[in-house]
Amino acid sequence: MTPRAPSLQEVAALAGVSTGTVSRALSRPELLAEGTRTRVLAAVDRLGYVRHGAARALASRRTRTIGAVIPRLGASMFATTIRGLQRVLEADGYTLLLAHPADPSASSLPAVTTLLERGVDAVVLLGRTHDPALFERLRVREVPYVLIWALAGEASAHPAIGFDNRRAGRLVGDHLVALGHRRFAMISAPTQENERARDRFLGLVESLTSVGAHLPAAARLETQYGYREGAEAVDALVARDVRFTALVCGNDYLAVGALAALARHGWRVPHDVSVVGFNDSEFAPYTIPALTTVRFPIEAIGERAASYLVERLRGNAPIASVELPVELIVRDSTATPRRGPLPR
Amino acid sequence: MTPRAPSLQEVAALAGVSTGTVSRALSRPELLAEGTRTRVLAAVDRLGYVRHGAARALASRRTRTIGAVIPRLGASMFATTIRGLQRVLEADGYTLLLAHPADPSASSLPAVTTLLERGVDAVVLLGRTHDPALFERLRVREVPYVLIWALAGEASAHPAIGFDNRRAGRLVGDHLVALGHRRFAMISAPTQENERARDRFLGLVESLTSVGAHLPAAARLETQYGYREGAEAVDALVARDVRFTALVCGNDYLAVGALAALARHGWRVPHDVSVVGFNDSEFAPYTIPALTTVRFPIEAIGERAASYLVERLRGNAPIASVELPVELIVRDSTATPRRGPLPR
DNA sequence: TTGTAGGCGTTATCAT
DNA sequence: ATGATAACGCCTACAA
């Protein structure tokens, strides 16, 4: 009648062995004699026994749990990365514990503290900008960690797995410049608080200034990622009477929204305007006519981060930092250069 | 020099009190005398003490952890729901533990087992289709749970929080029928394995058959969610020479991809074809010209599920089942009925 | 190959 | 308001 979950003791009693043997049957079955093992596992099965994680953790000083601090979950790019993480971790018997800062630009220290309380064996941090106290905490406790969507060397010596957003920005700039564009506009996330948006912007500018092309302040809009926002940004550019022949969109949602708005204003892509987007999402907009895209290895980031940590926890010293490749998928190479959109 | 994390003992020693007092200072500070409390908290601070979750869990038989089984993470709809979950849970001191079935249509039982091993206080399950053995496990252990993206009464008496996909399908059908449409096409996820896709489809058909409108087999395409897939589906419909004046897309990614492909084929929306999408993602495509959309409360699902469980864990008996409203956002009401697209 | 027993760091109960 | 102490359920030496 007692609905309490069965314990090791009870399994041991039923199988006629000691608790130690049951424990071994579950974690290192190869150490047991064939007969004992089957008998024990049968008892486990019969009782529907499930190991007690907290007790295991307390005794073994390991939780087989990995924590991840992810702001802006809901933006599907990070969700896809998490899926990569989870897939690999699960294969090694780890579970993923999620935490997020109160607000995307807030400190991750409280989130990390939560994770440490939970006893995570390792931590995944998104981005490169973090409170130094946070790293100190991790160091003191000797908890391995890795940054994702960030690059080592970017003002930090932490292990990191990601790609170069700045290089991606340059890639876009170089492509458009080569097509003959000189007047640009850009819609992006707030560069102040979003380091990835900032890098993409900086890379673009780097490329443009090298050939004397323009990206005047009036042609730069910062907004949240989303279809609606992309469309509204284009409306704003039109309202401001900004002239440009190339529009760079900080991610693919913005790009798709922008395309719709451009069509509404009667501008043809790529005849009147070239449009380029950075492809954060898992739903690649490659087939949208004329939209050129930078493609990122978003799921690979998660997978690599997971393998790195798993290796670390095995006591190995895997390669600490990985820069994954970015790729430009060109859809507007034919028409160069454009007439340029006219004000309304 | 020992990098071991400080324990309750050490804090107690430093503060000159017993471990019990330190424990209370952290969980129920109001029980302590003003002076003792500050003294203890100072010691906590000084040592950088962090509670040991496993030990806490072992002693208190509570982990303050909630598990969620989410297939297809990466599809941003679920990510947004998770964010809702997490936001509310965090406010009550809970942490979210993620698990997922090996493959979206596989049993969730192993995932739930993992979570139970971790000692989760409650479980969130996505969808209504689950192994009965799973519910049995939860019942035996008296672990509260709730289904999300599902409705109670849908062949189950489990607590559930979601919306009626079937009703959403009817909503779309009724709208299009009222506009005068009689020839339909639909692009959706595989209805065999995706219960939400199936419900949307069934609802649509329900509405159509009531007025004798068509949705012939040749006009139904099943594919994965994505821009590319939406575009390819339209190409396939064209290739098959299917005639329709209304196209229903199973989610918004498909819809956006389809719109692009329709444009490529020279069909104007909504002049030649009405297009409707179900809005799963957080990036609402409402501003895309002429795209009519069914909007779902995806984040609210997570929030409600979290509050429900938190209340349950507090020992209350909150309302078990919630049906959230869906909303049709019409963008094609003016033009009725259409000429209908011509084959290529 | 299997059993035994000493922790692991809290919480909760019971005194005081 | 505070202290002492017995669980909590398992893992892991170590012994047999």
Side-chain angles (χ1 to χ4, degrees):
Chain A
M1 206 58 235
T2 322
R4 200 178 43 69
S7 74
L8 249 206
Q9 285 277 7
E10 310 178 39
V11 177
L14 179 60
V17 296
S18 72
T19 57
T21 301
V22 179
S23 176
R24 262 162 269 171
L26 260 18
S27 356
R28 318 190 50 192
E30 70 280 7
L31 292 186
L32 295 199
E34 170 74 35
T36 328
R37 189 190 331 152
T38 35
R39 196 149 36 88
V40 172
L41 293 182
V44 163
D45 221 45
R46 191 128 133 30
L47 294 175
Y49 170 74
V50 172
R51 283 129 110 196
H52 190 299
R56 263 159 68 81
L58 194 55
S60 68
R61 324 185 107 261
R62 280 260 193 155
T63 57
R64 291 199 84 80
T65 279
I66 305 281
V69 180
I70 311 283
R72 290 195 192 76
L73 186 68
S76 66
M77 38 199 159
F78 299 153
T80 302
T81 295
I82 289 175
R83 186 178 51 190
L85 260 176
Q86 219 185 322
R87 255 237 319 282
V88 174
L89 289 179
E90 185 186 48
D92 284 270
Y94 285 91
T95 298
L96 189 64
L97 200 47
L98 280 187
H100 65 181
D103 134 59
S105 55
S107 166
S108 304
L109 188 53
V112 167
T113 304
T114 305
L115 293 176
L116 289 178
E117 279 200 27
R118 259 46 184 201
V120 294
D121 292 341
V123 170
V124 176
L125 295 165
L126 197 137
R128 66 171 181 264
T129 313
H130 299 283
D131 191 333
L134 187 163
F135 293 112
E136 179 58 14
R137 282 259 178 103
L138 294 173
R139 202 186 55 68
V140 167
R141 291 168 192 271
E142 300 186 300
V143 172
Y145 64 86
V146 61
L147 310 186
I148 59 172
W149 284 77
L151 242 38
E154 281 181 333
S156 85
H158 304 294
I161 291 170
F163 47 81
D164 190 336
N165 280 291
R166 194 142 176 173
R167 178 198 308 271
R170 278 199 304 271
L171 214 58
V172 169
D174 292 350
H175 167 70
L176 292 170
V177 162
L179 287 184
H181 292 281
R182 289 300 179 272
R183 304 183 74 90
F184 292 79
M186 179 169 196
I187 311 171
S188 74
T191 52
Q192 191 70 239
E193 57 187 64
N194 184 323
E195 60 193 39
R196 291 161 296 284
R198 182 167 56 244
D199 290 343
R200 293 171 193 183
F201 164 69
L202 291 176
L204 179 69
V205 167
E206 225 169 283
S207 167
L208 302 198
T209 52
S210 71
V211 298
H214 299 274
L215 180 53
R220 283 187 55 203
L221 250 45
E222 302 199 340
T223 178
Q224 298 304 311
Y225 289 146
Y227 298 115
R228 176 201 293 274
E229 288 77 4
E232 287 172 352
V234 163
D235 293 344
L237 289 173
V238 169
R240 285 186 193 176
D241 204 3
V242 175
R243 290 171 152 272
F244 55 92
T245 65
L247 175 64
V248 179
C249 301
N251 88 346
D252 41 2
Y253 296 100
L254 288 177
V256 171
L259 283 176
L262 288 170
R264 205 171 56 225
H265 289 287
W267 294 351
R268 286 159 304 158
V269 178
H271 183 270
D272 298 329
V273 208
S274 271
V275 179
V276 183
F278 295 87
N279 179 204
D280 280 338
S281 89
E282 124 170 272
F283 301 104
Y286 309 140
T287 49
I288 293 186
L291 177 63
T292 285
T293 303
V294 183
R295 180 161 61 182
F296 300 126
I298 48 180
E299 185 155 6
I301 293 177
E303 296 167 348
R304 295 295 197 96
S307 341
Y308 169 76
L309 290 179
V310 167
E311 280 309 309
R312 278 285 271 118
L313 291 171
R314 283 209 183 106
N316 304 329
I319 296 183
S321 298
V322 178
E323 176 174 347
L324 298 168
V326 302
E327 186 187 359
L328 188 68
I329 302 192
V330 176
R331 308 295 305 283
D332 62 350
S333 52
T334 53
T336 88
R338 315 304 144 72
R339 177 190 88 202
L342 300 176
R344 26 192 177 152
Chain B
M1 205 57 234
T2 322
R4 202 177 42 71
S7 75
L8 249 207
Q9 284 278 4
E10 309 178 38
V11 177
L14 178 60
V17 297
S18 72
T19 58
T21 300
V22 179
S23 177
R24 262 162 272 171
L26 260 17
S27 359
R28 316 191 51 193
E30 71 279 7
L31 292 186
L32 294 200
E34 170 74 34
T36 329
R37 188 191 330 152
T38 36
R39 197 148 37 87
V40 171
L41 293 182
V44 164
D45 220 45
R46 190 126 135 30
L47 294 175
Y49 170 74
V50 172
R51 283 130 110 194
H52 190 298
R56 264 160 68 84
L58 193 55
S60 68
R61 324 184 108 263
R62 279 261 193 152
T63 58
R64 291 199 87 78
T65 280
I66 306 280
V69 180
I70 311 284
R72 288 194 194 77
L73 185 68
S76 66
M77 39 198 156
F78 298 153
T80 302
T81 296
I82 289 175
R83 186 177 52 189
L85 262 175
Q86 219 185 321
R87 255 235 320 281
V88 174
L89 289 179
E90 185 185 48
D92 285 271
Y94 285 90
T95 299
L96 189 65
L97 200 48
L98 280 187
H100 65 181
D103 133 59
S105 55
S107 167
S108 304
L109 188 53
V112 167
T113 305
T114 306
L115 293 176
L116 289 178
E117 278 199 27
R118 258 49 184 198
V120 294
D121 293 340
V123 170
V124 176
L125 296 165
L126 197 138
R128 66 170 181 265
T129 314
H130 299 281
D131 191 334
L134 186 163
F135 294 113
E136 178 58 13
R137 282 259 178 103
L138 294 173
R139 202 187 54 69
V140 167
R141 290 166 193 274
E142 300 185 298
V143 173
Y145 63 87
V146 61
L147 309 186
I148 59 173
W149 284 77
L151 240 39
E154 280 181 333
S156 86
H158 304 293
I161 291 171
F163 46 81
D164 191 337
N165 280 291
R166 195 143 177 172
R167 178 198 306 273
R170 279 199 303 271
L171 214 58
V172 169
D174 293 350
H175 166 70
L176 292 169
V177 162
L179 286 184
H181 292 280
R182 289 301 178 271
R183 305 182 73 87
F184 292 79
M186 180 169 195
I187 310 171
S188 75
T191 52
Q192 190 71 238
E193 57 187 65
N194 184 324
E195 61 192 39
R196 291 161 295 284
R198 182 166 58 244
D199 290 342
R200 293 172 192 182
F201 164 69
L202 290 175
L204 179 68
V205 167
E206 226 169 280
S207 167
L208 301 198
T209 53
S210 72
V211 298
H214 300 274
L215 179 53
R220 283 186 55 203
L221 251 44
E222 302 198 340
T223 179
Q224 298 303 311
Y225 288 147
Y227 298 116
R228 176 201 294 273
E229 288 78 4
E232 287 172 352
V234 164
D235 293 343
L237 289 173
V238 169
R240 285 185 192 177
D241 205 2
V242 175
R243 290 170 151 273
F244 55 92
T245 64
L247 175 64
V248 179
C249 300
N251 88 347
D252 41 0
Y253 296 100
L254 287 177
V256 171
L259 283 177
L262 288 169
R264 206 171 56 224
H265 289 288
W267 294 351
R268 285 159 305 157
V269 177
H271 183 270
D272 299 329
V273 207
S274 271
V275 179
V276 183
F278 295 87
N279 180 204
D280 281 336
S281 89
E282 125 171 89
F283 301 103
Y286 310 139
T287 49
I288 293 186
L291 177 63
T292 284
T293 303
V294 184
R295 180 161 61 182
F296 300 126
I298 48 181
E299 185 155 5
I301 293 178
E303 296 166 350
R304 295 294 198 97
S307 341
Y308 169 75
L309 290 179
V310 168
E311 279 310 309
R312 278 285 272 118
L313 291 171
R314 283 208 183 107
N316 303 329
I319 296 184
S321 298
V322 178
E323 176 174 348
L324 297 168
V326 302
E327 187 187 358
L328 188 68
I329 303 194
V330 175
R331 308 295 306 283
D332 63 352
S333 53
T334 54
T336 87
R338 315 305 143 74
R339 177 190 88 202
L342 300 176
R344 47 222 142 130

